mmCIF file of all heavy atoms in Angstrom:
data_model
loop_
_atom_site.group_PDB
_atom_site.id
_atom_site.type_symbol
_atom_site.label_atom_id
_atom_site.label_comp_id
_atom_site.label_asym_id
_atom_site.label_seq_id
_atom_site.Cartn_x
_atom_site.Cartn_y
_atom_site.Cartn_z
ATOM 1 N N ASP A 184 -0.641 6.955 17.928
ATOM 2 C CA ASP A 184 0.527 6.085 17.678
ATOM 3 C C ASP A 184 0.831 6.053 16.192
ATOM 4 O O ASP A 184 1.981 6.026 15.753
ATOM 5 C CB ASP A 184 0.348 4.684 18.239
ATOM 6 C CG ASP A 184 0.626 4.630 19.749
ATOM 7 O OD1 ASP A 184 1.020 5.676 20.380
ATOM 8 O OD2 ASP A 184 0.431 3.544 20.340
ATOM 9 N N ALA A 185 -0.231 5.871 15.401
ATOM 10 C CA ALA A 185 -0.036 5.800 13.907
ATOM 11 C C ALA A 185 0.533 7.130 13.397
ATOM 12 O O ALA A 185 1.365 7.175 12.528
ATOM 13 C CB ALA A 185 -1.343 5.418 13.213
ATOM 14 N N GLN A 186 -0.024 8.209 13.962
ATOM 15 C CA GLN A 186 0.479 9.559 13.584
ATOM 16 C C GLN A 186 1.967 9.739 13.964
ATOM 17 O O GLN A 186 2.705 10.288 13.208
ATOM 18 C CB GLN A 186 -0.355 10.692 14.177
ATOM 19 C CG GLN A 186 0.278 12.069 14.189
ATOM 20 C CD GLN A 186 0.589 12.619 12.806
ATOM 21 O OE1 GLN A 186 -0.013 12.195 11.810
ATOM 22 N NE2 GLN A 186 1.545 13.519 12.809
ATOM 23 N N ALA A 187 2.324 9.263 15.117
ATOM 24 C CA ALA A 187 3.783 9.354 15.496
ATOM 25 C C ALA A 187 4.657 8.623 14.603
ATOM 26 O O ALA A 187 5.689 9.186 14.158
ATOM 27 C CB ALA A 187 3.911 8.792 16.947
ATOM 28 N N ALA A 188 4.215 7.479 14.111
ATOM 29 C CA ALA A 188 4.997 6.686 13.112
ATOM 30 C C ALA A 188 4.999 7.447 11.781
ATOM 31 O O ALA A 188 6.030 7.562 11.115
ATOM 32 C CB ALA A 188 4.429 5.298 12.968
ATOM 33 N N ALA A 189 3.851 7.968 11.407
ATOM 34 C CA ALA A 189 3.797 8.685 10.135
ATOM 35 C C ALA A 189 4.683 9.912 10.115
ATOM 36 O O ALA A 189 5.317 10.267 9.129
ATOM 37 C CB ALA A 189 2.342 9.031 9.779
ATOM 38 N N ALA A 190 4.713 10.634 11.271
ATOM 39 C CA ALA A 190 5.567 11.859 11.367
ATOM 40 C C ALA A 190 7.043 11.436 11.318
ATOM 41 O O ALA A 190 7.833 12.145 10.691
ATOM 42 C CB ALA A 190 5.267 12.541 12.670
ATOM 43 N N LEU A 191 7.375 10.319 11.885
ATOM 44 C CA LEU A 191 8.743 9.837 11.834
ATOM 45 C C LEU A 191 9.138 9.507 10.345
ATOM 46 O O LEU A 191 10.196 9.860 9.873
ATOM 47 C CB LEU A 191 8.920 8.549 12.643
ATOM 48 C CG LEU A 191 10.301 7.896 12.669
ATOM 49 C CD1 LEU A 191 11.129 8.622 13.702
ATOM 50 C CD2 LEU A 191 10.175 6.399 13.006
ATOM 51 N N ILE A 192 8.191 8.935 9.621
ATOM 52 C CA ILE A 192 8.389 8.582 8.244
ATOM 53 C C ILE A 192 8.606 9.832 7.411
ATOM 54 O O ILE A 192 9.554 9.937 6.637
ATOM 55 C CB ILE A 192 7.260 7.679 7.707
ATOM 56 C CG1 ILE A 192 7.259 6.303 8.417
ATOM 57 C CG2 ILE A 192 7.374 7.532 6.166
ATOM 58 C CD1 ILE A 192 5.974 5.550 8.228
ATOM 59 N N ARG A 193 7.703 10.792 7.638
ATOM 60 C CA ARG A 193 7.744 12.006 6.805
ATOM 61 C C ARG A 193 9.072 12.770 7.187
ATOM 62 O O ARG A 193 9.697 13.351 6.330
ATOM 63 C CB ARG A 193 6.559 12.906 7.036
ATOM 64 C CG ARG A 193 6.388 13.820 5.755
ATOM 65 C CD ARG A 193 5.073 14.635 5.782
ATOM 66 N NE ARG A 193 3.819 13.895 5.786
ATOM 67 C CZ ARG A 193 3.285 13.234 4.766
ATOM 68 N NH1 ARG A 193 3.907 13.248 3.627
ATOM 69 N NH2 ARG A 193 2.160 12.554 4.910
ATOM 70 N N GLY A 194 9.441 12.760 8.451
ATOM 71 C CA GLY A 194 10.752 13.334 8.804
ATOM 72 C C GLY A 194 11.915 12.723 8.110
ATOM 73 O O GLY A 194 12.822 13.410 7.691
ATOM 74 N N HIS A 195 11.931 11.448 8.009
ATOM 75 C CA HIS A 195 13.002 10.744 7.313
ATOM 76 C C HIS A 195 13.035 11.095 5.856
ATOM 77 O O HIS A 195 14.053 11.330 5.283
ATOM 78 C CB HIS A 195 12.900 9.195 7.537
ATOM 79 C CG HIS A 195 13.975 8.442 6.755
ATOM 80 N ND1 HIS A 195 15.203 8.374 7.268
ATOM 81 C CD2 HIS A 195 13.942 7.843 5.579
ATOM 82 C CE1 HIS A 195 15.914 7.656 6.355
ATOM 83 N NE2 HIS A 195 15.157 7.358 5.325
ATOM 84 N N LEU A 196 11.814 11.161 5.194
ATOM 85 C CA LEU A 196 11.782 11.492 3.798
ATOM 86 C C LEU A 196 12.274 12.914 3.561
ATOM 87 O O LEU A 196 12.932 13.179 2.586
ATOM 88 C CB LEU A 196 10.273 11.346 3.284
ATOM 89 C CG LEU A 196 9.677 9.947 3.319
ATOM 90 C CD1 LEU A 196 8.207 10.009 2.811
ATOM 91 C CD2 LEU A 196 10.444 9.032 2.377
ATOM 92 N N SER A 197 11.919 13.757 4.479
ATOM 93 C CA SER A 197 12.334 15.206 4.373
ATOM 94 C C SER A 197 13.842 15.315 4.531
ATOM 95 O O SER A 197 14.508 16.033 3.685
ATOM 96 C CB SER A 197 11.634 16.055 5.451
ATOM 97 O OG SER A 197 11.978 17.376 5.347
ATOM 98 N N ALA A 198 14.453 14.607 5.496
ATOM 99 C CA ALA A 198 15.895 14.648 5.626
ATOM 100 C C ALA A 198 16.601 14.051 4.472
ATOM 101 O O ALA A 198 17.693 14.485 4.109
ATOM 102 C CB ALA A 198 16.266 13.936 6.938
ATOM 103 N N SER A 199 16.034 13.039 3.871
ATOM 104 C CA SER A 199 16.678 12.363 2.727
ATOM 105 C C SER A 199 16.446 12.875 1.396
ATOM 106 O O SER A 199 17.333 12.901 0.548
ATOM 107 C CB SER A 199 16.204 10.859 2.696
ATOM 108 O OG SER A 199 16.341 10.231 3.968
ATOM 109 N N PHE A 200 15.241 13.430 1.208
ATOM 110 C CA PHE A 200 14.871 13.850 -0.194
ATOM 111 C C PHE A 200 14.417 15.325 -0.268
ATOM 112 O O PHE A 200 14.025 15.763 -1.396
ATOM 113 C CB PHE A 200 13.787 12.947 -0.771
ATOM 114 C CG PHE A 200 14.141 11.425 -0.673
ATOM 115 C CD1 PHE A 200 13.572 10.677 0.305
ATOM 116 C CD2 PHE A 200 15.134 10.973 -1.491
ATOM 117 C CE1 PHE A 200 13.939 9.301 0.389
ATOM 118 C CE2 PHE A 200 15.529 9.657 -1.409
ATOM 119 C CZ PHE A 200 14.965 8.792 -0.479
ATOM 120 N N GLY A 201 14.379 16.013 0.853
ATOM 121 C CA GLY A 201 13.961 17.413 0.832
ATOM 122 C C GLY A 201 12.475 17.552 1.256
ATOM 123 O O GLY A 201 11.716 16.627 1.117
ATOM 124 N N ARG A 202 12.162 18.758 1.688
ATOM 125 C CA ARG A 202 10.852 18.990 2.245
ATOM 126 C C ARG A 202 9.753 18.892 1.170
ATOM 127 O O ARG A 202 8.626 18.469 1.439
ATOM 128 C CB ARG A 202 10.786 20.369 2.863
ATOM 129 C CG ARG A 202 11.404 20.372 4.238
ATOM 130 C CD ARG A 202 11.214 21.733 4.943
ATOM 131 N NE ARG A 202 9.779 22.104 5.018
ATOM 132 C CZ ARG A 202 9.337 23.265 5.447
ATOM 133 N NH1 ARG A 202 10.205 24.122 5.880
ATOM 134 N NH2 ARG A 202 8.029 23.504 5.491
ATOM 135 N N GLU A 203 10.102 19.342 -0.041
ATOM 136 C CA GLU A 203 9.078 19.309 -1.014
ATOM 137 C C GLU A 203 8.609 17.904 -1.440
ATOM 138 O O GLU A 203 7.427 17.602 -1.434
ATOM 139 C CB GLU A 203 9.615 20.003 -2.348
ATOM 140 C CG GLU A 203 8.554 20.435 -3.330
ATOM 141 C CD GLU A 203 9.151 21.082 -4.571
ATOM 142 O OE1 GLU A 203 10.162 21.835 -4.406
ATOM 143 O OE2 GLU A 203 8.603 20.810 -5.607
ATOM 144 N N ALA A 204 9.639 17.028 -1.670
ATOM 145 C CA ALA A 204 9.205 15.617 -1.926
ATOM 146 C C ALA A 204 8.488 14.970 -0.751
ATOM 147 O O ALA A 204 7.538 14.268 -0.960
ATOM 148 C CB ALA A 204 10.491 14.849 -2.304
ATOM 149 N N ALA A 205 9.063 15.290 0.494
ATOM 150 C CA ALA A 205 8.320 14.695 1.632
ATOM 151 C C ALA A 205 6.959 15.188 1.804
ATOM 152 O O ALA A 205 6.066 14.440 2.283
ATOM 153 C CB ALA A 205 9.135 15.042 2.899
ATOM 154 N N GLY A 206 6.715 16.426 1.327
ATOM 155 C CA GLY A 206 5.330 16.966 1.469
ATOM 156 C C GLY A 206 4.375 16.426 0.440
ATOM 157 O O GLY A 206 3.171 16.477 0.617
ATOM 158 N N GLU A 207 4.935 15.859 -0.621
ATOM 159 C CA GLU A 207 4.032 15.227 -1.693
ATOM 160 C C GLU A 207 3.851 13.776 -1.432
ATOM 161 O O GLU A 207 2.853 13.185 -1.906
ATOM 162 C CB GLU A 207 4.658 15.489 -3.053
ATOM 163 C CG GLU A 207 4.594 16.907 -3.498
ATOM 164 C CD GLU A 207 5.171 17.156 -4.877
ATOM 165 O OE1 GLU A 207 5.108 16.296 -5.731
ATOM 166 O OE2 GLU A 207 5.771 18.228 -5.076
ATOM 167 N N ALA A 208 4.819 13.080 -0.856
ATOM 168 C CA ALA A 208 4.704 11.649 -0.676
ATOM 169 C C ALA A 208 3.525 11.359 0.215
ATOM 170 O O ALA A 208 3.198 12.205 1.160
ATOM 171 C CB ALA A 208 5.948 11.088 -0.040
ATOM 172 N N ARG A 209 2.888 10.249 -0.014
ATOM 173 C CA ARG A 209 1.726 9.915 0.833
ATOM 174 C C ARG A 209 2.103 8.797 1.837
ATOM 175 O O ARG A 209 2.839 7.919 1.513
ATOM 176 C CB ARG A 209 0.530 9.453 -0.073
ATOM 177 C CG ARG A 209 -0.090 10.687 -0.730
ATOM 178 C CD ARG A 209 -1.199 10.392 -1.620
ATOM 179 N NE ARG A 209 -0.831 9.715 -2.814
ATOM 180 C CZ ARG A 209 -1.655 9.423 -3.798
ATOM 181 N NH1 ARG A 209 -2.926 9.919 -3.754
ATOM 182 N NH2 ARG A 209 -1.248 8.821 -4.881
ATOM 183 N N ILE A 210 1.460 8.900 3.026
ATOM 184 C CA ILE A 210 1.703 7.911 4.035
ATOM 185 C C ILE A 210 0.361 7.396 4.481
ATOM 186 O O ILE A 210 -0.568 8.073 4.795
ATOM 187 C CB ILE A 210 2.413 8.552 5.290
ATOM 188 C CG1 ILE A 210 3.785 9.102 4.819
ATOM 189 C CG2 ILE A 210 2.654 7.546 6.394
ATOM 190 C CD1 ILE A 210 4.509 9.858 5.857
ATOM 191 N N GLN A 211 0.228 6.013 4.382
ATOM 192 C CA GLN A 211 -0.897 5.355 4.761
ATOM 193 C C GLN A 211 -0.831 4.645 6.099
ATOM 194 O O GLN A 211 0.331 4.270 6.467
ATOM 195 C CB GLN A 211 -1.367 4.291 3.778
ATOM 196 C CG GLN A 211 -1.661 4.824 2.357
ATOM 197 C CD GLN A 211 -1.830 3.640 1.414
ATOM 198 O OE1 GLN A 211 -1.086 2.715 1.336
ATOM 199 N NE2 GLN A 211 -2.888 3.733 0.602
ATOM 200 N N TYR A 212 -1.906 4.429 6.810
ATOM 201 C CA TYR A 212 -1.890 3.500 7.926
ATOM 202 C C TYR A 212 -2.529 2.194 7.463
ATOM 203 O O TYR A 212 -3.512 2.254 6.687
ATOM 204 C CB TYR A 212 -2.691 4.084 9.139
ATOM 205 C CG TYR A 212 -2.875 2.940 10.155
ATOM 206 C CD1 TYR A 212 -1.834 2.500 10.903
ATOM 207 C CD2 TYR A 212 -4.104 2.313 10.276
ATOM 208 C CE1 TYR A 212 -2.010 1.504 11.776
ATOM 209 C CE2 TYR A 212 -4.273 1.259 11.085
ATOM 210 C CZ TYR A 212 -3.259 0.854 11.871
ATOM 211 O OH TYR A 212 -3.391 -0.250 12.683
ATOM 212 N N GLY A 213 -2.005 1.070 7.907
ATOM 213 C CA GLY A 213 -2.683 -0.214 7.632
ATOM 214 C C GLY A 213 -2.646 -1.113 8.855
ATOM 215 O O GLY A 213 -1.697 -1.088 9.606
ATOM 216 N N GLY A 214 -3.642 -1.950 8.962
ATOM 217 C CA GLY A 214 -3.702 -2.910 10.048
ATOM 218 C C GLY A 214 -5.041 -2.747 10.777
ATOM 219 O O GLY A 214 -5.301 -1.881 11.542
ATOM 220 N N SER A 215 -6.056 -3.718 10.341
ATOM 221 C CA SER A 215 -7.325 -3.750 10.935
ATOM 222 C C SER A 215 -8.114 -2.450 10.748
ATOM 223 O O SER A 215 -8.882 -1.995 11.640
ATOM 224 C CB SER A 215 -7.256 -4.082 12.491
ATOM 225 O OG SER A 215 -6.690 -5.465 12.578
ATOM 226 N N VAL A 216 -7.888 -1.848 9.577
ATOM 227 C CA VAL A 216 -8.746 -0.646 9.221
ATOM 228 C C VAL A 216 -10.057 -1.085 8.776
ATOM 229 O O VAL A 216 -10.242 -2.092 8.080
ATOM 230 C CB VAL A 216 -8.058 0.199 8.127
ATOM 231 C CG1 VAL A 216 -8.972 1.235 7.537
ATOM 232 C CG2 VAL A 216 -6.778 0.846 8.631
ATOM 233 N N LYS A 217 -11.128 -0.394 9.299
ATOM 234 C CA LYS A 217 -12.519 -0.691 8.937
ATOM 235 C C LYS A 217 -13.201 0.630 8.596
ATOM 236 O O LYS A 217 -12.654 1.751 8.908
ATOM 237 C CB LYS A 217 -13.240 -1.259 10.189
ATOM 238 C CG LYS A 217 -12.582 -2.525 10.788
ATOM 239 C CD LYS A 217 -12.989 -3.777 9.969
ATOM 240 C CE LYS A 217 -12.343 -5.063 10.612
ATOM 241 N NZ LYS A 217 -11.016 -5.350 10.257
ATOM 242 N N PRO A 218 -14.310 0.577 7.912
ATOM 243 C CA PRO A 218 -15.023 1.823 7.635
ATOM 244 C C PRO A 218 -15.236 2.699 8.763
ATOM 245 O O PRO A 218 -15.215 3.957 8.808
ATOM 246 C CB PRO A 218 -16.304 1.374 6.936
ATOM 247 C CG PRO A 218 -16.009 0.078 6.328
ATOM 248 C CD PRO A 218 -14.997 -0.620 7.293
ATOM 249 N N ASP A 219 -15.461 2.064 10.034
ATOM 250 C CA ASP A 219 -15.816 2.897 11.152
ATOM 251 C C ASP A 219 -14.608 3.398 11.962
ATOM 252 O O ASP A 219 -14.757 4.097 12.917
ATOM 253 C CB ASP A 219 -16.856 2.217 12.085
ATOM 254 C CG ASP A 219 -16.250 0.905 12.648
ATOM 255 O OD1 ASP A 219 -15.080 0.643 12.364
ATOM 256 O OD2 ASP A 219 -17.035 0.214 13.344
ATOM 257 N N ASN A 220 -13.399 3.016 11.561
ATOM 258 C CA ASN A 220 -12.204 3.569 12.267
ATOM 259 C C ASN A 220 -11.300 4.423 11.384
ATOM 260 O O ASN A 220 -10.342 5.017 11.889
ATOM 261 C CB ASN A 220 -11.449 2.565 13.093
ATOM 262 C CG ASN A 220 -10.777 1.475 12.186
ATOM 263 O OD1 ASN A 220 -10.546 1.710 10.998
ATOM 264 N ND2 ASN A 220 -10.453 0.366 12.743
ATOM 265 N N LEU A 221 -11.614 4.438 10.053
ATOM 266 C CA LEU A 221 -10.691 5.051 9.079
ATOM 267 C C LEU A 221 -10.608 6.579 9.294
ATOM 268 O O LEU A 221 -9.599 7.217 9.228
ATOM 269 C CB LEU A 221 -11.037 4.731 7.678
ATOM 270 C CG LEU A 221 -10.120 5.340 6.542
ATOM 271 C CD1 LEU A 221 -8.652 5.124 6.814
ATOM 272 C CD2 LEU A 221 -10.518 4.735 5.233
ATOM 273 N N ALA A 222 -11.802 7.227 9.617
ATOM 274 C CA ALA A 222 -11.801 8.634 9.694
ATOM 275 C C ALA A 222 -10.881 9.175 10.731
ATOM 276 O O ALA A 222 -10.255 10.201 10.492
ATOM 277 C CB ALA A 222 -13.272 9.109 9.985
#
Side-chain angles (χ1 to χ4, degrees):
D184 280 355
Q186 164 59 24
L191 180 82
I192 293 165
R193 204 173 300 284
H195 177 80
L196 295 177
S197 184
S199 305
F200 307 107
R202 280 187 57 184
E203 197 180 323
E207 287 181 36
R209 288 181 288 190
I210 299 173
Q211 296 173 314
Y212 168 73
S215 298
V216 170
K217 305 277 182 279
D219 62 5
N220 65 20
L221 179 51

